[in-house]
């Protein structure tokens, strides 16, 4: 009797086990099979987006081409092309400009000479040949019986005349897509006809990046989003102290982002390689900025490329060798967005300042950035250098690698910082508060920085200037909006010369007096 009872118990236990196993297997198979059709919740999407983004820009490399003659006299040189592509237009979004109705592929192209990977000007990469002497001849093959499309160089002669040193600026091309050509293409450079690069680019309306950065329900043409963009923050010398250095970068970013947000910026687009993205995602301060959407990491896995010998003008190829490339990339990536988004390409030692107390972006855009002039799509900001009277030059860097709080009542914030200060040394105020002297003269106008509307399709970008294909460029008056530049941010390197008069300065963000009084001596 007992054996019969045990046998029944084992039988039912085995039956229950089989039922549970089959049920779980069915649940697993049903879940995995249905995953592609399941819409992810918005909060989950946001978590994926916040980790990093490529701004919807695809990259193809290497593509080869033959240059008949380079600037150094070499004949028939095979060069290596890197091509970045973005499908734009035909989104039918609320704030699109008229030209954005055309379905197109935009490209930026860079050519490297394998014989000289360190060719440079002003410390930045330059190509082996000027735009006027040679440019790639790129064809887009479509699926048969579709046409073969030629990539057209976007700038016209009048655009080329607006800037100099084209050799340090990437090429810009565009391919307008006829109806029915599909989403996949093979790219051919005519001098290498047997080499083809395949790529598939879905319609721009399927790309959520613009709504991610500038939700139409929050930002419009009157109140557009403003993002700053910074290139890879690399060490000026090679180092293997990755943890220590990235912690310093994280502190610098905390100080940078909290202040820019207080000035009305929507956030920072930081170009970072895989190592930096990994560290900043784990640092509690930068992780919080990312969670709040104020810091967004843009994938930029360009290898470090350094060279100690100078270019004859005292400039080695250094940490910022690719500034023209990343600046062009951000404008390419955002060119699919509408008039409700602006961006300013800056450095980590440059800070937006709106002299009118209480004004935040976008008030200057409508009240003093030439509001009477129509269709301005690039606003050039002047830069003023600022110094602290109480901090020795050699000690300034220590202040910037310590995360602080804005203190007092920052605009648009009840906490004073505009951002939660958990994990931050709240006893340490924001470093910029110590800067109480300003140069009486701005840096040269050719060294300004541009606030651009990417929807205007900005091309020929270097560090300080660019050309919009749609709209015009104008200089912003220094009493409207400027950039404050901290010359000793990275360490002691510059003292004011005797012939430069310093003016007292008090940033109103830190409860100071009207800067227009303090800068009364600044030249018009």
């Amino acid at each position: 009797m007992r054996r019969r009872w045990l046998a029944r118990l084992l039988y039912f236990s085995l039956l229950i086990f089989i039922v549970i196993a089959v049920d779980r297997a069915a649940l697993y198979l049903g879940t995995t099979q249905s995953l592609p059709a399941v819409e992810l919740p918005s909060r989950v999407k946001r978590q994926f987006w916040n980790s990093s983004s490529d701004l919807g820009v695809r990259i193809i490399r290497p593509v080869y081409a033959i240059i008949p003659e380079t600037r150094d006299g070499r004949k028939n040189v095979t060069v290596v092309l890197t091509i970045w592509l973005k499908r734009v237009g035909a989104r039918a979004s609320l704030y699109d400009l008229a030209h954005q109705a055309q379905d197109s592929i935009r490209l930026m192209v860079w050519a490297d000479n394998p014989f000289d990977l360190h060719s440079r000007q002003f410390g930045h990469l330059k190509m082996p040949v000027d735009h006027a002497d040679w440019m790639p001849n790129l064809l887009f093959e479509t699926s048969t019986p579709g046409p073969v499309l030629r990539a057209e160089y976007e700038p016209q002669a009048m655009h080329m005349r607006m800037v100099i040193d084209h050799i340090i600026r990437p090429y810009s091309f565009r391919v307008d897509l006829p109806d029915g050509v599909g989403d996949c293409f093979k790219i051919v450079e005519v001098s290498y006809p047997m080499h083809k690069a395949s790529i598939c680019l879905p319609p721009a309306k399927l790309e959520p990046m613009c709504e991610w950065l500038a939700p139409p329900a929050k930002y419009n043409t009157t109140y557009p989003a403003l993002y700053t963009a910074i290139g890879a923050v690399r060490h000026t010398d090679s180092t293997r102290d990755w943890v220590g250095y990235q912690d310093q970068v994280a502190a610098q970013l905390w100080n940078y982002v909290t202040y820019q947000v207080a000035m009305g910026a929507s956030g920072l687009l930081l170009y970072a390689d895989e190592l930096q993205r990994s560290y900043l995602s784990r640092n509690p301060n930068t992780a919080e900025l990312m969670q709040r959407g104020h810091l967004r990491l843009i994938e930029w896995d360009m290898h470090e490329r350094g060279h100690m010998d100078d270019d004859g003008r005292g400039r080695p190829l250094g940490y910022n060798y690719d500034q023209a490339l990343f600046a062009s990339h951000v404008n390419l990536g955002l060119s699919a967005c509408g008039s409700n988004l602006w961006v300013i390409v800056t450095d980590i030692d440059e800070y937006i300042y709106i002299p009118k107390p209480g004004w935040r972006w976008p008030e200057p855009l409508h009240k003093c950035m030439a509001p009477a002039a129509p269709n301005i799509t690039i606003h050039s900001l002047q830069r003023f250098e600022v110094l602290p009277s109480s901090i020795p030059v050699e000690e300034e860097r220590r202040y910037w690698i310590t995360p602080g709080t804005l203190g007092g009542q920052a605009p648009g914030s009840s906490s004073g910082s505009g951002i939660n200060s958990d994990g931050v040394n709240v006893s340490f105020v924001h470093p910029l508060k110590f800067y109480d002297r300003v140069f009486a003269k701005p840096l040269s106008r050719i060294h300004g920085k541009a606030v651009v509307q990417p929807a205007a399709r900005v091309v020929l970008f270097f560090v300080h200037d660019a050309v919009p294909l749609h709209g015009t460029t104008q200089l912003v008056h220094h009493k409207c909006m400027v950039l404050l530049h901290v010359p000793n941010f990275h360490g002691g390197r510059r003292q004011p010369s005797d012939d430069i008069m310093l003016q007292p300065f008090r940033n109103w963000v830190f409860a100071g007096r009207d800067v227009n009084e303090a800068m009364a001596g600044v030249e018009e």
Side-chain angles (χ1 to χ4, degrees):
M1 186 71 178
R2 185 175 180 181
R3 289 182 179 178
R4 186 181 300 172
W5 180 82
L6 288 173
R8 287 182 177 178
L9 181 61
L10 290 172
Y11 172 81
F12 282 112
S13 298
L14 181 61
L15 182 62
I16 292 172
F17 173 81
I18 292 173
V19 170
I20 293 175
V22 171
D23 181 70
R24 291 197 173 186
L27 178 62
Y28 171 77
L29 291 173
T31 302
T32 54
Q33 290 174 356
S34 63
L35 271 178
V38 172
E39 180 72 9
L40 291 173
S42 59
R43 61 181 178 82
V44 177
K45 283 184 179 178
R46 188 167 60 251
Q47 289 173 0
F48 281 111
W49 272 102
N50 279 347
S51 60
S52 64
S53 170
D54 57 8
L55 296 183
V57 176
R58 301 288 300 281
I59 183 172
I60 295 177
R61 59 182 173 191
V63 174
Y64 301 102
I66 297 177
I67 295 180
E69 183 174 1
T70 61
R71 279 178 68 98
D72 61 1
R74 294 178 183 267
K75 305 289 187 179
N76 298 320
V77 174
T78 298
V79 296
V80 180
L81 304 181
T82 301
I83 304 176
W84 290 267
L85 309 94
K86 170 85 177 189
R87 191 163 175 180
V88 300
R91 295 179 65 243
S93 296
L94 188 60
Y95 301 111
D96 282 355
L97 303 182
H99 63 270
Q100 294 179 299
Q102 172 65 52
D103 187 8
S104 306
I105 298 173
R106 299 191 66 228
L107 306 83
M108 58 175 272
V109 182
W110 186 261
D112 268 317
N113 182 355
F115 293 101
D116 185 4
L117 293 175
H118 305 113
S119 181
R120 61 205 177 278
Q121 190 165 323
F122 316 124
H124 302 270
L125 279 181
K126 71 176 181 179
M127 291 188 292
V129 65
D130 193 89
H131 293 215
D133 298 325
W134 177 87
M135 62 181 63
N137 189 356
L138 298 169
L139 302 179
F140 278 62
E141 294 183 353
T142 61
S143 176
T144 184
V148 174
L149 307 172
R150 185 179 300 276
E152 302 294 340
Y153 184 64
E154 287 193 299
Q156 302 297 315
M158 63 176 182
H159 301 126
M160 297 287 287
R161 290 193 295 267
M162 293 179 183
V163 294
I164 61 174
D165 299 315
H166 305 118
I167 202 166
I168 55 180
R169 306 168 191 266
Y171 297 103
S172 295
F173 291 92
R174 186 179 73 252
V175 178
D176 291 335
L177 300 178
D179 293 338
V181 295
D183 302 334
C184 295
F185 312 89
K186 288 189 177 182
I187 301 177
V188 184
E189 209 291 325
V190 170
S191 63
Y192 263 74
M194 302 303 290
H195 286 229
K196 301 181 181 182
S198 299
I199 192 166
C200 296
L201 298 167
K205 63 183 178 181
L206 300 180
E207 168 63 60
M209 185 270 302
C210 294
E211 285 69 26
W212 170 58
L213 290 175
K218 181 177 181 181
Y219 298 107
N220 53 46
T221 302
T222 303
Y223 189 88
L226 174 65
Y227 284 90
T228 61
I230 292 178
V233 184
R234 305 184 180 103
H235 203 292
T236 52
D237 297 308
S238 179
T239 176
R240 286 185 290 170
D241 181 17
W242 297 328
V243 176
Y245 179 68
Q246 296 300 338
D247 281 346
Q248 292 179 8
V249 171
Q252 292 169 338
L253 290 172
W254 174 271
N255 291 327
Y256 178 93
V257 173
T258 53
Y259 178 87
Q260 308 291 33
V261 169
M263 278 283 102
S266 301
L268 165 65
L269 306 178
L270 176 68
Y271 280 66
D273 61 19
E274 185 172 4
L275 185 149
Q276 189 161 79
R277 295 196 302 270
S278 176
Y279 276 85
L280 295 182
S281 297
R282 297 198 301 264
N283 180 280
N285 295 333
T286 46
E288 181 183 342
L289 295 175
M290 293 169 62
Q291 182 181 8
R292 291 175 175 268
H294 295 310
L295 172 63
R296 303 174 192 266
L297 304 182
I298 309 304
E299 298 171 10
W300 191 245
D301 293 316
M302 299 286 287
H303 299 304
E304 292 184 14
R305 189 189 297 199
H307 199 258
M308 295 308 297
D309 294 338
D310 67 43
D311 58 358
R313 302 185 182 187
R315 298 293 297 268
L317 183 69
Y319 71 97
N320 59 350
Y321 73 91
D322 53 352
Q323 278 189 322
L325 293 176
F326 105 80
S328 298
H329 183 280
V330 72
N331 279 287
L332 172 63
L334 301 183
S335 64
C337 303
S339 60
N340 65 333
L341 188 149
W342 292 73
V343 67
I344 174 172
V345 178
T346 71
D347 294 325
I348 198 171
D349 57 3
E350 295 172 343
Y351 292 80
I352 295 170
Y353 188 66
I354 301 169
K356 183 70 173 177
W359 276 18
R360 306 170 72 238
W361 176 270
E363 288 181 274
L365 181 65
H366 303 296
K367 296 181 178 179
C368 59
M369 294 171 76
N375 202 25
I376 299 175
T377 51
I378 294 185
H379 296 273
S380 180
L381 298 183
Q382 299 182 72
R383 293 192 298 160
F384 284 85
E385 301 203 331
V386 289
L387 298 170
S389 61
S390 60
I391 304 175
V393 169
E394 62 274 8
E395 292 186 18
E396 286 186 55
R397 175 175 170 77
R398 180 170 59 87
Y399 281 72
W400 289 102
I401 60 175
T402 304
T405 58
L406 290 178
Q409 185 69 26
S413 168
S414 59
S415 65
S417 67
I419 299 205
N420 191 337
S421 59
D422 292 346
V424 176
N425 179 8
V426 294
S427 64
F428 186 80
V429 299
H430 194 283
L432 203 56
K433 184 175 182 179
F434 296 100
Y435 287 74
D436 55 0
R437 296 186 296 171
V438 63
F439 280 37
K441 297 179 181 179
L443 296 173
S444 170
R445 291 185 178 183
I446 65 172
H447 294 148
K449 292 294 179 74
V451 181
V452 307
Q453 186 181 75
R457 295 189 176 171
V458 178
V459 298
L460 297 172
F461 208 113
F462 179 47
V463 178
H464 304 290
D465 59 13
V467 179
L469 296 180
H470 303 273
T472 60
T473 301
Q474 182 141 331
L475 180 71
V476 177
H477 195 281
H478 66 263
K479 291 187 179 181
C480 175
M481 184 174 174
V482 299
L483 284 177
L484 302 179
H485 177 241
V486 181
N488 300 306
F489 182 95
H490 297 289
R493 63 181 183 184
R494 185 178 304 168
Q495 291 278 13
S497 59
D498 294 337
D499 61 340
I500 297 180
M501 187 190 316
L502 291 174
Q503 297 290 324
F505 173 74
R506 187 73 170 172
N507 193 321
W508 64 262
V509 174
F510 305 105
R513 59 191 173 89
D514 188 341
V515 73
N516 289 324
E517 297 177 16
M519 296 178 67
V522 171
E523 295 184 358
E524 294 293 332

